[in-house]
């Protein structure tokens, strides 16, 4: 049964809603890649954002269904590399919100679990989002999904993305200007040296 899911940053300055939200309609993925880990460190919230194997819990949905109702001027954008994904977060308290493609033409986004406003909704993530469908990009994790497990997921994503694009949702993202397709704020690109440090911190942690 679709309902509205409250979205917000930790300090309450940014608020929004994921409209018509239903666990059955989102893809919940845990991504263990080095970039997601570096991003959590950049925000200074790695302990809270990453699971025991360094994975980030993400639920993928259509940007059209996300709207900000308060404090949208708090939104900032980061790219770890010049060609990397756009990582949108609330600058006030460094809460990650969503990751998108760099172009508005792909109406698809991964919402980071910490963006859910749980002040009034005390359900577990499993109850809100359904079970994790796949775990990717971290071969060291014992619960990593097999390649075969990814195929139905990729087919499902591909179909959803195509449908959303055909119905024009690339012009209905809160992160891109509907007319020009430009990001609503210019992304900050992390320098190579800074990125090396962010990733180096991970390596140190993992050997401790
Ligand atoms: Zn905040
Ligand atoms: Zn990742």
């Amino acid at each position: 049964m679709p309902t509205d899911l409250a979205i917000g940053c930790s300090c309450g300055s940014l608020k929004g809603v994921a409209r018509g939200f239903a666990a059955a309609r989102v893809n919940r993925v845990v991504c263990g890649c080095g970039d997601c880990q570096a991003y959590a460190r950049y925000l200074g919230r790695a302990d809270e954002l990453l699971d025991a194997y360094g994975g980030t819990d993400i639920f993928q949905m259509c940007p059209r269904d996300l709207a900000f109702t308060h404090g949208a001027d708090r939104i900032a954008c980061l790219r770890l590399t010049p060609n990397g994904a756009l990582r949108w977060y609330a600058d006030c308290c460094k809460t990650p919100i969503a990751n998108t493609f760099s172009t508005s033409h792909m109406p698809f986004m991964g919402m980071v679990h910490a963006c859910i406003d749980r002040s009034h909704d005390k359900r577990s993530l499993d109850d809100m989002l359904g079970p994790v469908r796949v775990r990717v990009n971290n071969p060291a994790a014992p619960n990593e999904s097999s390649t075969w497990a990814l195929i139905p997921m990729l087919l499902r994503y591909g179909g959803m993305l195509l449908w959303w694009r055909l119905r024009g949702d690339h012009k209905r993202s809160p992160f891109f200007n509907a007319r020009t397709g430009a990001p609503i704020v210019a992304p900050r690109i992390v320098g190579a040296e800074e990125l090396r440090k962010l990733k180096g911190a991970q390596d140190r942690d993992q050997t401790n």
Side-chain angles (χ1 to χ4, degrees):
M1 173 86 175
T3 176
D4 285 353
L5 184 72
I7 300 298
C9 70
S10 309
C11 77
S13 301
L14 175 71
K15 289 187 184 301
V17 62
R19 295 212 170 92
F21 186 89
R25 296 223 305 254
V26 298
N27 288 300
R28 186 176 169 202
V29 177
V30 172
C31 182
C33 80
D35 281 0
C36 286
Q37 293 178 5
Y39 178 50
R41 286 190 184 282
Y42 177 87
L43 296 173
R45 298 181 70 164
D47 289 349
E48 164 197 354
L49 292 175
L50 305 179
D51 70 12
Y53 305 111
T56 302
D57 208 314
I58 288 170
F59 56 103
Q60 297 173 315
M61 51 177 265
C62 180
R64 179 185 84 157
D65 298 332
L66 176 67
F68 293 110
T69 53
H70 188 79
D73 58 331
R74 305 290 178 147
I75 295 171
C77 184
L78 188 81
R79 294 185 99 167
L80 291 171
T81 59
N83 298 316
L86 301 188
R87 295 172 186 267
W88 303 89
Y89 64 97
D91 198 31
C92 39
C93 56
K94 312 294 185 215
T95 302
I97 306 293
N99 304 330
T100 67
F101 288 99
S102 57
T103 166
S104 66
H105 288 278
M106 304 283 264
F108 196 74
M109 65 180 182
M111 305 279 289
V112 181
H113 66 95
C115 76
I116 301 173
D117 179 356
R118 298 171 80 173
S119 50
H120 299 293
D121 190 341
K122 304 295 183 196
R123 289 177 298 161
S124 69
L125 278 186
D126 282 353
D127 286 344
M128 284 182 186
L129 306 175
V132 173
R133 290 176 192 271
V134 291
R135 295 173 190 271
V136 292
N137 295 330
N138 189 357
N143 50 8
E144 178 83 350
S145 300
S146 72
T147 307
W148 292 109
L150 302 182
I151 293 172
M153 182 199 74
L154 291 172
L155 290 172
R156 186 162 178 257
Y157 288 0
M160 285 161 70
L161 176 57
L162 186 62
W163 165 237
W164 294 336
R165 182 69 174 75
L166 287 172
R167 74 179 184 187
D169 290 348
H170 56 296
K171 294 185 177 160
R172 302 183 188 111
S173 167
F175 297 115
F176 294 93
N177 182 295
R179 193 172 47 81
T180 65
I184 56 163
V185 292
R188 175 177 181 252
I189 301 171
V190 173
E193 181 57 27
E194 189 181 357
L195 185 59
R196 228 182 339 265
K197 280 186 189 152
L198 289 167
K199 295 203 167 182
Q202 281 158 217
D203 295 342
R204 278 197 303 282
D205 276 11
Q206 281 165 8
T207 52
N208 284 342

